[in-house]
Amino acid sequence: MSDITSRTPHDDLASRLTHPRYPRSNRYDARWTIENQMGPHALWLLEWLAPALGLDALPAGARVLDLGCGRAMTSVFLAKEYDLQVTAADLWIKPDENAPRIAEAGVADRVLPVFAEAHDLPFGEGTFDAIVSIDAYQYFGTNDLYLPTLTRLLKPGGRIGVVVPALRDEPEGTQPPAHLEPWWEPDFWCFHSPGWWRRHWTRGGAVEVEAADWLPDGWRDWLLWCDVVAEESPEEFHRRMAREVGEMVRVDEGRALGFVRLVGRRL
């Protein structure tokens, strides 16, 4: 079993990714986070979400669904940092790929990897104390009917918390912000403002929205991470994607792009 929370004191890469806002994430091996990333720094985003979601207040062994867990970094973090029982659900990364990673992190007794599509989740009503989704919910959660279906999996009063890439303001008309047009992809239309997300969750009637806020200087975190991944990722595809996204974030300088944190309590 590898110790993913060990740090080399003079490790330049670890120093580069040490962030005063994310003390828990700082304990994790920087190389491990780079090798298992699938987008923005998922541990940083989860650590930002955690206090608003009340993860510290959950009892040990509480059941949490990590929806769209990717390579299960966030699931490992939830188990290690908060002593939770985590169902690590993903469509693209299969359970037999995540299981060895989870075992090597020493949390095989607390994290169960499962194969699941977000619109066909094989869980019963009231199964979970909380639901978490980091950099995934935007791909399936913009449908007006989705949240009421998903939150039935929560116990009454349970919370759902997500962090998504976002736009500071909703674009007018059918065109993206002009300075982002060279990089704009149709998928980016799933990026929305804090106000849009608050309305979207409120009018569905499934949750009381407790947070819908913007990460201050989140673009700087995003850019730093892109620059490091572009240099250090062992996968050429991820290096190329990080360079492209990094160029967009660098030009934007926080004018439009960032992250939104959403927390809702099941009514």
Side-chain angles (χ1 to χ4, degrees):
M1 181 183 69
S2 61
D3 185 357
I4 60 170
T5 58
S6 64
R7 296 291 296 271
T8 303
H10 302 293
D11 184 338
D12 289 340
L13 182 60
S15 297
R16 192 174 178 189
L17 290 175
T18 295
H19 197 303
R21 185 157 45 199
Y22 310 115
R24 292 179 186 258
S25 300
N26 290 341
R27 298 198 292 262
Y28 286 74
D29 181 73
R31 186 67 58 186
W32 181 78
T33 63
I34 291 168
E35 290 174 351
N36 293 300
Q37 65 83 34
M38 295 181 69
H41 198 310
L43 299 191
W44 289 353
L45 298 180
L46 177 54
E47 189 165 353
W48 177 50
L49 173 66
L53 188 56
L55 291 182
D56 275 322
L58 290 175
R63 299 190 64 183
V64 175
L65 172 63
D66 186 3
L67 184 57
C69 69
R71 290 174 170 164
M73 281 202 302
T74 47
S75 303
V76 168
F77 190 89
L78 289 165
K80 278 186 169 289
E81 299 300 319
Y82 304 101
D83 197 18
L84 302 171
Q85 290 289 331
V86 185
T87 299
D90 202 79
L91 176 65
W92 303 113
I93 307 298
K94 302 300 188 290
D96 59 357
E97 297 177 57
N98 273 335
R101 191 163 23 253
I102 291 165
E104 288 168 3
V107 290
D109 60 330
R110 285 172 283 167
V111 179
L112 175 66
V114 301
F115 173 78
E117 203 282 324
H119 296 89
D120 188 23
L121 296 171
F123 312 114
E125 183 165 348
T127 297
F128 299 104
D129 297 283
I131 297 173
V132 169
S133 185
I134 302 297
D135 186 30
Y137 192 85
Q138 69 273 18
Y139 295 122
F140 47 77
T142 57
N143 185 291
D144 289 339
L145 303 179
Y146 184 73
L147 185 64
T149 300
L150 177 63
T151 52
R152 284 200 290 267
L153 304 182
L154 285 170
K155 296 176 182 177
R159 288 182 170 88
I160 176 172
V162 311
V163 179
V164 292
L167 293 173
R168 189 182 293 273
D169 300 297
E170 291 296 303
E172 296 182 5
T174 60
Q175 298 301 313
H179 67 284
L180 296 181
E181 286 186 2
W183 297 275
W184 196 262
E185 300 286 345
D187 287 355
F188 294 170
W189 287 114
C190 70
F191 296 176
H192 291 288
S193 67
W196 187 96
W197 280 110
R198 180 179 287 276
R199 288 192 300 274
H200 182 59
W201 274 25
T202 298
R203 67 188 181 189
V207 299
E208 176 188 354
V209 179
E210 297 182 334
D213 51 1
W214 185 260
L215 176 59
D217 283 334
W219 73 274
R220 297 183 187 276
D221 298 350
W222 200 351
L223 180 58
L224 169 61
W225 180 242
C226 284
D227 287 347
V228 171
V229 171
E231 297 170 12
E232 301 290 344
S233 175
E235 301 180 40
E236 193 281 332
F237 171 77
H238 285 146
R239 292 196 302 273
R240 177 172 57 81
M241 291 300 297
R243 285 193 297 270
E244 292 176 2
V245 173
E247 289 174 3
M248 178 176 68
V249 175
R250 196 184 314 276
V251 167
D252 180 66
E253 292 186 316
R255 286 178 284 169
L257 295 169
F259 298 99
V260 164
R261 172 177 63 182
L262 292 155
V263 175
R265 182 179 59 84
R266 180 183 176 182
L267 296 173

